[in-house]
Coordinates of all heavy atoms in Angstrom, one line a residue:
D13 N 137.4 -51.7 -95.1 CA 137.7 -53.0 -94.4 C 139.2 -53.3 -94.5 O 139.6 -54.5 -94.3 CB 136.8 -54.1 -94.9 CG 137.2 -54.6 -96.3 OD1 138.1 -54.1 -96.9 OD2 136.5 -55.5 -96.7
G14 N 140.0 -52.4 -94.8 CA 141.4 -52.6 -94.8 C 141.9 -53.2 -96.2 O 142.9 -53.8 -96.3
T15 N 141.1 -53.0 -97.2 CA 141.4 -53.5 -98.6 C 141.5 -52.3 -99.5 O 140.6 -51.4 -99.5 CB 140.4 -54.5 -99.0 OG1 140.2 -55.5 -98.1 CG2 140.7 -55.1 -100.3
L16 N 142.5 -52.3 -100.4 CA 142.6 -51.3 -101.4 C 142.5 -52.0 -102.8 O 142.9 -53.2 -102.9 CB 144.0 -50.6 -101.4 CG 144.3 -49.9 -100.1 CD1 145.8 -49.4 -100.1 CD2 143.4 -48.7 -99.9
F17 N 142.0 -51.3 -103.8 CA 141.9 -51.8 -105.1 C 142.6 -50.9 -106.1 O 142.6 -49.6 -105.9 CB 140.4 -51.8 -105.5 CG 139.7 -52.9 -104.9 CD1 139.2 -52.8 -103.6 CD2 139.3 -54.1 -105.5 CE1 138.5 -53.8 -102.9 CE2 138.6 -55.1 -104.9 CZ 138.2 -55.0 -103.6
S18 N 143.3 -51.4 -107.1 CA 143.9 -50.7 -108.1 C 143.6 -51.2 -109.5 O 143.5 -52.4 -109.7 CB 145.4 -50.6 -107.9 OG 146.0 -52.0 -108.0
G19 N 143.4 -50.3 -110.5 CA 143.2 -50.7 -111.9 C 144.5 -50.5 -112.6 O 145.2 -49.6 -112.3
S20 N 144.7 -51.2 -113.7 CA 146.0 -51.2 -114.4 C 145.9 -51.1 -115.9 O 144.9 -51.5 -116.5 CB 146.8 -52.4 -113.9 OG 148.0 -52.4 -114.6
R21 N 147.0 -50.7 -116.5 CA 147.1 -50.7 -117.9 C 147.3 -52.1 -118.4 O 147.1 -52.4 -119.6 CB 148.3 -49.9 -118.3 CG 148.1 -48.4 -118.1 CD 149.3 -47.6 -118.4 NE 149.5 -47.6 -119.9 CZ 150.6 -47.1 -120.5 NH1 151.6 -46.6 -119.8 NH2 150.7 -47.1 -121.8
D22 N 147.6 -53.1 -117.5 CA 147.7 -54.5 -118.0 C 146.3 -55.2 -118.0 O 146.3 -56.4 -118.0 CB 148.7 -55.2 -117.1 CG 148.2 -55.6 -115.7 OD1 147.1 -55.2 -115.3 OD2 149.0 -56.2 -115.0
H23 N 145.2 -54.4 -117.8 CA 143.8 -54.9 -117.9 C 143.3 -55.6 -116.7 O 142.3 -56.2 -116.7 CB 143.7 -55.9 -119.1 CG 144.3 -55.4 -120.4 ND1 144.5 -56.3 -121.5 CD2 144.9 -54.3 -120.8 CE1 145.1 -55.7 -122.4 NE2 145.3 -54.4 -122.0
S24 N 144.1 -55.5 -115.6 CA 143.6 -56.2 -114.4 C 143.3 -55.2 -113.3 O 143.7 -54.1 -113.3 CB 144.7 -57.2 -113.9 OG 145.8 -56.5 -113.4
I25 N 142.5 -55.8 -112.3 CA 142.2 -55.0 -111.1 C 142.8 -55.9 -110.0 O 142.7 -57.1 -109.9 CB 140.7 -54.9 -110.8 CG1 140.1 -54.1 -112.0 CG2 140.4 -54.3 -109.5 CD1 138.6 -54.1 -112.0
R26 N 143.6 -55.2 -109.1 CA 144.2 -55.9 -108.0 C 143.6 -55.5 -106.6 O 143.4 -54.3 -106.4 CB 145.7 -55.7 -108.0 CG 146.4 -56.4 -109.2 CD 147.9 -56.2 -109.2 NE 148.5 -57.0 -110.2 CZ 148.7 -56.6 -111.5 NH1 148.3 -55.4 -111.8 NH2 149.3 -57.4 -112.4
M27 N 143.5 -56.4 -105.8 CA 143.0 -56.2 -104.4 C 144.2 -56.4 -103.5 O 144.8 -57.4 -103.5 CB 141.9 -57.3 -104.1 CG 141.2 -57.1 -102.8 SD 140.0 -58.5 -102.5 CE 139.1 -58.6 -104.0
W28 N 144.4 -55.4 -102.6 CA 145.6 -55.4 -101.8 C 145.2 -55.3 -100.3 O 144.2 -54.6 -100.0 CB 146.5 -54.2 -102.1 CG 146.9 -54.0 -103.5 CD1 146.2 -53.4 -104.5 CD2 148.0 -54.5 -104.1 NE1 146.9 -53.4 -105.7 CE2 148.0 -54.2 -105.5 CE3 149.1 -55.3 -103.6 CZ2 149.0 -54.5 -106.3 CZ3 150.1 -55.6 -104.5 CH2 150.1 -55.2 -105.8
S29 N 146.0 -55.8 -99.4 CA 145.8 -55.6 -98.0 C 146.4 -54.2 -97.7 O 147.5 -53.9 -98.0 CB 146.5 -56.7 -97.2 OG 146.6 -56.3 -95.8
A30 N 145.5 -53.4 -97.1 CA 146.0 -52.1 -96.7 C 147.0 -52.1 -95.5 O 147.7 -51.2 -95.2 CB 144.8 -51.2 -96.3
D31 N 146.9 -53.2 -94.7 CA 147.8 -53.4 -93.5 C 149.2 -53.7 -93.9 O 150.1 -53.1 -93.3 CB 147.2 -54.5 -92.7 CG 145.9 -54.2 -92.1 OD1 145.6 -53.0 -91.8 OD2 145.1 -55.2 -92.0
D32 N 149.4 -54.6 -94.9 CA 150.8 -55.0 -95.2 C 151.2 -55.0 -96.6 O 152.3 -55.3 -97.0 CB 151.1 -56.3 -94.6 CG 150.3 -57.4 -95.1 OD1 149.6 -57.2 -96.1 OD2 150.3 -58.5 -94.5
G33 N 150.3 -54.5 -97.5 CA 150.6 -54.4 -98.9 C 150.5 -55.8 -99.7 O 150.9 -55.8 -100.8
T34 N 150.1 -56.8 -99.0 CA 150.0 -58.1 -99.7 C 148.9 -58.1 -100.8 O 147.8 -57.6 -100.6 CB 149.7 -59.2 -98.7 OG1 150.6 -59.2 -97.6 CG2 149.6 -60.6 -99.3
L35 N 149.3 -58.7 -101.9 CA 148.3 -58.9 -103.0 C 147.4 -60.0 -102.6 O 147.8 -61.1 -102.3 CB 149.0 -59.2 -104.3 CG 148.1 -59.5 -105.5 CD1 147.3 -58.3 -105.9 CD2 148.9 -60.0 -106.7
L36 N 146.1 -59.7 -102.5 CA 145.1 -60.6 -102.1 C 144.4 -61.4 -103.3 O 144.1 -62.5 -103.2 CB 144.0 -59.9 -101.3 CG 144.5 -59.2 -100.0 CD1 143.4 -58.4 -99.4 CD2 145.1 -60.2 -99.0
R37 N 144.2 -60.6 -104.3 CA 143.4 -61.2 -105.5 C 143.7 -60.4 -106.7 O 143.8 -59.2 -106.6 CB 142.0 -61.3 -105.2 CG 141.1 -61.8 -106.3 CD 139.7 -61.9 -105.9 NE 139.6 -63.2 -105.1 CZ 138.4 -63.8 -104.8 NH1 137.3 -63.3 -105.3 NH2 138.4 -64.9 -104.1
T38 N 143.6 -61.0 -107.9 CA 143.7 -60.2 -109.1 C 142.4 -60.6 -109.9 O 142.1 -61.7 -110.1 CB 144.9 -60.6 -110.0 OG1 146.1 -60.3 -109.2 CG2 145.0 -59.8 -111.2
L39 N 141.7 -59.5 -110.4 CA 140.5 -59.7 -111.1 C 140.8 -59.5 -112.6 O 141.4 -58.5 -113.0 CB 139.4 -58.7 -110.7 CG 139.1 -58.6 -109.2 CD1 138.1 -57.6 -108.9 CD2 138.7 -60.0 -108.7
H40 N 140.3 -60.4 -113.5 CA 140.5 -60.4 -114.9 C 139.2 -60.3 -115.6 O 138.2 -60.9 -115.2 CB 141.3 -61.6 -115.4 CG 142.6 -61.7 -114.8 ND1 143.7 -61.0 -115.2 CD2 143.1 -62.5 -113.7 CE1 144.8 -61.3 -114.4 NE2 144.4 -62.2 -113.6
G41 N 139.2 -59.6 -116.7 CA 138.0 -59.5 -117.5 C 138.1 -58.4 -118.6 O 137.8 -58.6 -119.7
H42 N 138.6 -57.2 -118.1 CA 138.9 -56.1 -119.1 C 139.8 -56.6 -120.2 O 140.8 -57.4 -119.9 CB 139.5 -54.9 -118.4 CG 138.5 -54.1 -117.7 ND1 137.9 -53.0 -118.3 CD2 138.1 -54.0 -116.4 CE1 137.1 -52.4 -117.5 NE2 137.2 -53.0 -116.3
K43 N 139.6 -56.1 -121.4 CA 140.4 -56.5 -122.5 C 141.4 -55.3 -122.9 O 142.3 -55.5 -123.7 CB 139.6 -56.8 -123.8 CG 138.6 -57.9 -123.5 CD 139.3 -59.2 -123.2 CE 138.3 -60.3 -123.1 NZ 138.5 -61.2 -122.0
R44 N 141.2 -54.2 -122.2 CA 142.0 -53.0 -122.4 C 142.3 -52.3 -121.1 O 141.8 -52.7 -120.1 CB 141.3 -52.1 -123.4 CG 141.1 -52.8 -124.8 CD 140.6 -51.9 -125.9 NE 141.6 -50.9 -126.2 CZ 141.2 -49.8 -126.9 NH1 140.0 -49.6 -127.3 NH2 142.2 -48.9 -127.2
S45 N 143.0 -51.2 -121.1 CA 143.5 -50.5 -119.9 C 142.3 -50.0 -119.1 O 141.2 -49.7 -119.6 CB 144.3 -49.3 -120.3 OG 145.5 -49.7 -120.9
I46 N 142.5 -50.0 -117.8 CA 141.5 -49.6 -116.8 C 141.8 -48.2 -116.4 O 143.0 -47.9 -116.0 CB 141.4 -50.5 -115.6 CG1 141.0 -51.9 -116.1 CG2 140.4 -50.0 -114.6 CD1 141.2 -53.0 -115.1
N47 N 140.9 -47.2 -116.4 CA 141.1 -45.9 -116.1 C 140.6 -45.5 -114.7 O 141.2 -44.6 -114.1 CB 140.4 -44.9 -117.1 CG 141.0 -45.0 -118.5 OD1 142.2 -45.2 -118.6 ND2 140.2 -44.9 -119.5
C48 N 139.6 -46.1 -114.2 CA 138.9 -45.6 -113.0 C 138.2 -46.8 -112.3 O 137.7 -47.7 -112.9 CB 138.0 -44.5 -113.3 SG 136.9 -44.8 -114.6
L49 N 138.0 -46.6 -111.0 CA 137.3 -47.5 -110.1 C 136.4 -46.7 -109.2 O 136.7 -45.6 -108.8 CB 138.2 -48.4 -109.2 CG 139.3 -49.2 -109.9 CD1 140.2 -49.8 -108.9 CD2 138.7 -50.3 -110.8
A50 N 135.2 -47.3 -108.9 CA 134.3 -46.7 -107.9 C 133.5 -47.9 -107.2 O 133.3 -48.9 -107.8 CB 133.4 -45.7 -108.6
F51 N 133.0 -47.6 -106.0 CA 132.2 -48.6 -105.3 C 130.8 -48.1 -105.1 O 130.6 -46.9 -104.8 CB 132.8 -48.9 -103.9 CG 133.9 -49.9 -104.0 CD1 135.2 -49.5 -104.0 CD2 133.6 -51.2 -103.9 CE1 136.3 -50.4 -104.1 CE2 134.7 -52.2 -104.0 CZ 136.0 -51.7 -104.0
A52 N 129.9 -49.0 -105.4 CA 128.5 -48.7 -105.1 C 128.3 -48.9 -103.6 O 129.1 -49.5 -102.9 CB 127.5 -49.6 -105.9
R53 N 127.2 -48.4 -103.0 CA 126.9 -48.5 -101.6 C 126.8 -50.0 -101.1 O 127.1 -50.3 -100.0 CB 125.7 -47.7 -101.2 CG 125.9 -46.2 -101.4 CD 124.7 -45.4 -101.3 NE 123.8 -45.7 -100.2 CZ 122.7 -45.2 -99.9 NH1 122.2 -44.2 -100.7 NH2 121.9 -45.5 -98.9
D54 N 126.4 -50.9 -102.0 CA 126.2 -52.3 -101.6 C 127.5 -53.1 -101.7 O 127.5 -54.3 -101.6 CB 125.1 -52.9 -102.5 CG 125.5 -53.1 -104.0 OD1 126.6 -52.6 -104.4 OD2 124.7 -53.6 -104.7
G55 N 128.7 -52.4 -102.0 CA 129.9 -53.1 -102.1 C 130.3 -53.5 -103.5 O 131.4 -54.0 -103.8
T56 N 129.4 -53.3 -104.5 CA 129.7 -53.7 -105.9 C 130.8 -52.8 -106.4 O 130.8 -51.6 -106.2 CB 128.4 -53.5 -106.7 OG1 127.4 -54.4 -106.2 CG2 128.7 -53.9 -108.2
L57 N 131.8 -53.3 -107.1 CA 132.9 -52.6 -107.7 C 132.5 -52.3 -109.1 O 132.1 -53.1 -109.9 CB 134.2 -53.4 -107.6 CG 135.4 -52.8 -108.3 CD1 135.8 -51.5 -107.6 CD2 136.5 -53.8 -108.3
L58 N 132.8 -51.0 -109.5 CA 132.6 -50.6 -110.9 C 134.0 -50.2 -111.4 O 134.8 -49.6 -110.7 CB 131.7 -49.4 -111.0 CG 130.3 -49.6 -110.4 CD1 129.6 -48.3 -110.1 CD2 129.4 -50.5 -111.3
S59 N 134.2 -50.6 -112.7 CA 135.5 -50.2 -113.3 C 135.2 -49.7 -114.7 O 134.4 -50.2 -115.4 CB 136.5 -51.4 -113.3 OG 135.9 -52.5 -114.0
G60 N 136.0 -48.7 -115.1 CA 135.8 -48.1 -116.4 C 137.2 -48.0 -117.1 O 138.2 -47.9 -116.5
G61 N 137.1 -48.2 -118.4 CA 138.3 -48.1 -119.2 C 138.1 -48.0 -120.6 O 137.0 -47.6 -121.1
Y62 N 139.1 -48.5 -121.4 CA 139.0 -48.4 -122.8 C 138.0 -49.4 -123.5 O 137.8 -49.4 -124.6 CB 140.4 -48.5 -123.4 CG 141.2 -47.3 -123.2 CD1 142.0 -47.1 -122.1 CD2 141.2 -46.3 -124.2 CE1 142.7 -45.9 -121.9 CE2 142.0 -45.1 -124.0 CZ 142.7 -45.0 -122.9 OH 143.4 -43.8 -122.7
D63 N 137.5 -50.3 -122.7 CA 136.5 -51.3 -123.2 C 135.2 -51.1 -122.4 O 134.4 -52.1 -122.3 CB 137.0 -52.7 -123.1 CG 137.4 -53.1 -121.7 OD1 137.5 -52.3 -120.8 OD2 137.7 -54.3 -121.6
G64 N 134.9 -50.0 -121.9 CA 133.6 -49.7 -121.3 C 133.5 -49.8 -119.8 O 134.5 -49.7 -119.1
L65 N 132.3 -49.9 -119.3 CA 132.0 -50.0 -117.9 C 131.7 -51.4 -117.5 O 130.9 -52.1 -118.1 CB 130.8 -49.1 -117.6 CG 130.3 -49.0 -116.2 CD1 131.3 -48.4 -115.3 CD2 129.0 -48.2 -116.1
W66 N 132.4 -51.8 -116.4 CA 132.2 -53.2 -115.9 C 131.7 -53.1 -114.5 O 131.9 -52.2 -113.8 CB 133.6 -53.9 -115.9 CG 134.1 -54.4 -117.2 CD1 134.4 -53.6 -118.3 CD2 134.3 -55.7 -117.6 NE1 134.8 -54.4 -119.3 CE2 134.7 -55.7 -118.9 CE3 134.1 -56.9 -116.9 CZ2 135.0 -56.9 -119.6 CZ3 134.4 -58.1 -117.6 CH2 134.8 -58.1 -118.9
I67 N 131.0 -54.2 -114.1 CA 130.4 -54.3 -112.8 C 131.0 -55.6 -112.2 O 131.1 -56.7 -112.9 CB 128.9 -54.3 -112.7 CG1 128.4 -54.4 -111.3 CG2 128.3 -55.4 -113.6 CD1 126.9 -54.1 -111.2
W68 N 131.5 -55.6 -111.0 CA 132.1 -56.7 -110.3 C 131.3 -57.1 -109.0 O 131.1 -56.2 -108.2 CB 133.5 -56.4 -109.9 CG 134.4 -56.1 -111.1 CD1 134.5 -54.8 -111.7 CD2 135.1 -57.0 -111.9 NE1 135.3 -54.9 -112.8 CE2 135.7 -56.2 -113.0 CE3 135.4 -58.3 -111.9 CZ2 136.5 -56.8 -113.9 CZ3 136.2 -58.9 -112.8 CH2 136.7 -58.1 -113.8
H69 N 130.8 -58.3 -108.9 CA 130.0 -58.7 -107.8 C 130.8 -59.2 -106.6 O 131.6 -60.1 -106.7 CB 129.1 -59.9 -108.3 CG 128.3 -59.5 -109.5 ND1 127.2 -58.6 -109.5 CD2 128.5 -59.8 -110.8 CE1 126.8 -58.5 -110.7 NE2 127.5 -59.2 -111.6
P70 N 130.6 -58.6 -105.5 CA 131.5 -58.8 -104.3 C 131.4 -60.2 -103.7 O 132.3 -60.6 -103.0 CB 131.1 -57.7 -103.3 CG 129.8 -57.3 -103.7 CD 129.6 -57.5 -105.2
H71 N 130.3 -60.9 -104.0 CA 130.2 -62.3 -103.4 C 131.2 -63.3 -104.0 O 131.6 -64.2 -103.4 CB 128.8 -62.8 -103.5 CG 128.2 -62.9 -104.9 ND1 127.7 -61.9 -105.6 CD2 128.1 -64.0 -105.7 CE1 127.3 -62.3 -106.8 NE2 127.6 -63.6 -106.9
D72 N 131.6 -63.0 -105.3 CA 132.5 -64.0 -105.9 C 133.5 -63.2 -106.8 O 134.4 -63.8 -107.5 CB 131.8 -65.0 -106.7 CG 130.9 -64.5 -107.9 OD1 130.9 -63.3 -108.1 OD2 130.3 -65.3 -108.5
W73 N 133.4 -61.9 -107.0 CA 134.2 -61.0 -107.8 C 134.2 -61.4 -109.2 O 135.2 -61.2 -109.9 CB 135.7 -61.0 -107.2 CG 135.7 -60.3 -105.9 CD1 136.0 -60.8 -104.7 CD2 135.3 -58.9 -105.6 NE1 135.8 -59.9 -103.7 CE2 135.4 -58.7 -104.2 CE3 134.9 -57.8 -106.4 CZ2 135.1 -57.5 -103.6 CZ3 134.6 -56.6 -105.7 CH2 134.8 -56.5 -104.4
T74 N 133.1 -61.9 -109.7 CA 133.0 -62.1 -111.2 C 132.6 -60.8 -111.8 O 131.9 -60.0 -111.2 CB 131.9 -63.2 -111.5 OG1 130.7 -62.8 -110.9 CG2 132.3 -64.6 -111.0
G75 N 133.0 -60.5 -113.0 CA 132.7 -59.3 -113.6 C 132.0 -59.5 -114.9 O 132.0 -60.5 -115.6
Q76 N 131.2 -58.4 -115.3 CA 130.6 -58.4 -116.6 C 130.6 -57.0 -117.1 O 130.5 -56.0 -116.3 CB 129.1 -58.9 -116.4 CG 128.2 -58.1 -115.6 CD 126.9 -58.7 -115.4 OE1 126.8 -59.7 -114.7 NE2 125.8 -58.1 -116.0
V77 N 130.7 -56.9 -118.4 CA 130.6 -55.6 -119.0 C 129.2 -55.1 -119.2 O 128.3 -55.9 -119.5 CB 131.4 -55.6 -120.4 CG1 130.7 -56.4 -121.4 CG2 131.6 -54.2 -120.9
L78 N 128.9 -53.9 -118.9 CA 127.6 -53.3 -119.1 C 127.6 -52.8 -120.5 O 128.6 -52.8 -121.2 CB 127.3 -52.2 -118.1 CG 127.3 -52.6 -116.6 CD1 127.1 -51.4 -115.7 CD2 126.3 -53.7 -116.4
E79 N 126.4 -52.3 -120.9 CA 126.3 -51.9 -122.3 C 127.5 -51.0 -122.7 O 127.8 -50.1 -122.0 CB 125.0 -51.1 -122.5 CG 124.7 -50.6 -123.9 CD 123.4 -49.8 -124.0 OE1 122.5 -50.0 -123.2 OE2 123.4 -49.0 -124.9
Y80 N 128.0 -51.3 -123.9 CA 129.2 -50.6 -124.3 C 129.0 -50.1 -125.7 O 128.8 -50.9 -126.6 CB 130.4 -51.6 -124.2 CG 131.7 -51.0 -124.8 CD1 132.2 -49.8 -124.3 CD2 132.4 -51.6 -125.8 CE1 133.4 -49.3 -124.8 CE2 133.5 -51.1 -126.3 CZ 134.0 -50.0 -125.8 OH 135.2 -49.4 -126.3
G81 N 129.1 -48.8 -125.9 CA 128.9 -48.2 -127.2 C 130.1 -47.8 -127.9 O 130.1 -47.0 -128.8
G82 N 131.3 -48.3 -127.4 CA 132.5 -47.9 -128.0 C 133.2 -46.7 -127.3 O 134.3 -46.3 -127.7
N83 N 132.6 -46.1 -126.3 CA 133.2 -45.0 -125.6 C 134.2 -45.4 -124.5 O 133.9 -46.4 -123.8 CB 132.1 -44.1 -125.0 CG 131.3 -43.4 -126.0 OD1 131.7 -43.0 -127.1 ND2 130.0 -43.2 -125.7
V84 N 135.2 -44.6 -124.4 CA 136.2 -44.9 -123.3 C 135.6 -44.3 -122.0 O 135.1 -43.1 -122.0 CB 137.5 -44.2 -123.6 CG1 138.5 -44.3 -122.4 CG2 138.1 -44.8 -124.9
V85 N 135.6 -45.0 -120.9 CA 135.2 -44.5 -119.6 C 136.4 -43.9 -118.9 O 137.3 -44.7 -118.6 CB 134.5 -45.6 -118.8 CG1 134.1 -45.0 -117.4 CG2 133.2 -46.1 -119.5
R86 N 136.4 -42.6 -118.7 CA 137.5 -42.0 -118.1 C 137.4 -41.7 -116.6 O 138.3 -41.5 -115.9 CB 137.8 -40.7 -118.9 CG 138.1 -41.0 -120.3 CD 138.7 -39.7 -121.0 NE 138.8 -40.0 -122.5 CZ 139.8 -40.6 -123.1 NH1 140.7 -41.2 -122.4 NH2 139.8 -40.8 -124.4
A87 N 136.1 -41.6 -116.2 CA 135.9 -41.3 -114.7 C 134.5 -41.9 -114.3 O 133.6 -42.0 -115.2 CB 135.8 -39.8 -114.5
L88 N 134.4 -42.2 -113.0 CA 133.2 -42.8 -112.5 C 132.9 -42.1 -111.2 O 133.7 -41.7 -110.4 CB 133.4 -44.3 -112.2 CG 133.4 -45.3 -113.3 CD1 133.8 -46.6 -112.8 CD2 132.1 -45.3 -114.0
A89 N 131.6 -42.0 -110.9 CA 131.1 -41.5 -109.6 C 129.8 -42.2 -109.3 O 129.0 -42.5 -110.2 CB 130.9 -40.0 -109.6
V90 N 129.5 -42.5 -108.0 CA 128.2 -43.1 -107.6 C 127.5 -42.1 -106.8 O 128.0 -41.6 -105.8 CB 128.5 -44.4 -106.8 CG1 127.2 -45.0 -106.4 CG2 129.3 -45.4 -107.7
G91 N 126.2 -41.8 -107.2 CA 125.4 -40.8 -106.4 C 124.8 -41.4 -105.2 O 124.8 -42.7 -105.0
A92 N 124.2 -40.6 -104.4 CA 123.6 -41.0 -103.1 C 122.5 -42.0 -103.3 O 122.2 -42.8 -102.4 CB 123.1 -39.8 -102.3
G93 N 121.8 -41.9 -104.4 CA 120.7 -42.9 -104.7 C 121.1 -44.1 -105.4 O 120.3 -44.9 -105.8
G94 N 122.4 -44.3 -105.6 CA 122.9 -45.5 -106.3 C 123.1 -45.3 -107.8 O 123.6 -46.2 -108.4
E95 N 122.8 -44.2 -108.3 CA 123.0 -44.0 -109.7 C 124.5 -43.8 -110.0 O 125.3 -43.4 -109.2 CB 122.2 -42.7 -110.2 CG 122.7 -41.4 -109.6 CD 122.1 -41.1 -108.3 OE1 121.4 -41.9 -107.7 OE2 122.4 -40.0 -107.8
V96 N 124.9 -44.3 -111.2 CA 126.3 -44.3 -111.6 C 126.5 -43.2 -112.7 O 125.7 -43.3 -113.7 CB 126.7 -45.7 -112.1 CG1 128.2 -45.6 -112.6 CG2 126.6 -46.7 -111.0
Y97 N 127.4 -42.4 -112.6 CA 127.8 -41.4 -113.6 C 129.2 -41.8 -114.2 O 130.1 -42.1 -113.4 CB 127.9 -40.0 -113.0 CG 126.6 -39.5 -112.4 CD1 126.4 -39.7 -111.0 CD2 125.7 -38.8 -113.1 CE1 125.2 -39.3 -110.4 CE2 124.5 -38.4 -112.5 CZ 124.3 -38.6 -111.2 OH 123.1 -38.2 -110.6
S98 N 129.3 -41.7 -115.5 CA 130.6 -41.9 -116.1 C 130.9 -40.8 -117.1 O 129.9 -40.2 -117.6 CB 130.6 -43.3 -116.8 OG 129.7 -43.3 -117.9
S99 N 132.1 -40.6 -117.3 CA 132.5 -39.5 -118.2 C 133.3 -40.1 -119.4 O 134.1 -41.0 -119.2 CB 133.4 -38.5 -117.5 OG 133.9 -37.6 -118.4
S100 N 133.0 -39.7 -120.5 CA 133.6 -40.1 -121.7 C 133.7 -39.0 -122.8 O 132.7 -38.5 -123.2 CB 132.9 -41.3 -122.3 OG 133.4 -41.7 -123.5
D101 N 134.9 -38.7 -123.1 CA 135.1 -37.7 -124.2 C 134.3 -36.4 -124.0 O 133.7 -35.9 -124.9 CB 134.8 -38.3 -125.5 CG 135.7 -39.5 -125.8 OD1 136.8 -39.5 -125.4 OD2 135.2 -40.4 -126.5
G102 N 134.3 -35.9 -122.7 CA 133.6 -34.6 -122.4 C 132.1 -34.8 -122.2 O 131.5 -33.8 -121.9
N103 N 131.6 -36.0 -122.3 CA 130.2 -36.2 -122.0 C 130.0 -36.9 -120.6 O 130.9 -37.8 -120.3 CB 129.5 -37.0 -123.1 CG 129.5 -36.3 -124.4 OD1 129.1 -35.2 -124.5 ND2 130.0 -37.0 -125.4
V104 N 128.9 -36.7 -119.9 CA 128.6 -37.4 -118.7 C 127.4 -38.3 -119.0 O 126.4 -37.9 -119.5 CB 128.3 -36.5 -117.5 CG1 127.9 -37.3 -116.3 CG2 129.5 -35.6 -117.2
L105 N 127.5 -39.6 -118.7 CA 126.5 -40.6 -118.9 C 125.9 -41.0 -117.6 O 126.6 -41.1 -116.6 CB 127.0 -41.8 -119.6 CG 127.7 -41.6 -121.0 CD1 128.3 -42.9 -121.5 CD2 126.7 -41.0 -122.0
L106 N 124.6 -41.2 -117.5 CA 123.9 -41.6 -116.3 C 123.5 -43.1 -116.5 O 122.8 -43.4 -117.4 CB 122.7 -40.7 -116.0 CG 121.8 -41.2 -114.8 CD1 122.6 -41.2 -113.5 CD2 120.6 -40.3 -114.7
W107 N 123.9 -43.9 -115.6 CA 123.5 -45.3 -115.6 C 122.6 -45.6 -114.4 O 122.9 -45.3 -113.3 CB 124.7 -46.3 -115.5 CG 125.8 -46.0 -116.5 CD1 126.7 -45.0 -116.6 CD2 126.1 -46.9 -117.6 NE1 127.5 -45.1 -117.6 CE2 127.2 -46.3 -118.3 CE3 125.6 -48.1 -118.1 CZ2 127.7 -46.8 -119.4 CZ3 126.1 -48.6 -119.2 CH2 127.2 -48.0 -119.8
T108 N 121.4 -46.1 -114.6 CA 120.5 -46.3 -113.5 C 120.1 -47.8 -113.5 O 120.3 -48.5 -114.4 CB 119.2 -45.5 -113.7 OG1 118.6 -45.8 -114.9 CG2 119.5 -44.0 -113.6

């Protein structure tokens, strides 16, 4: 829809206009650096970093951390059925 998202070492996620580069919104919640972002088919944003896996609700962009066992989330992918895969320290986790 003409919007780009970026995760940062400053613990924030930024929403940008792809048309002119204008900063539209900054999302706060992570307490540590963000490594990766992915979108679910319903528009939900997922973010992973040094403080686990977060889910961001597109109706108001509030975020919440999902179960966190102390692992760094280094990569995210969303499967065709909506399942979420994350990678941490050489392991792949499946979130359903």
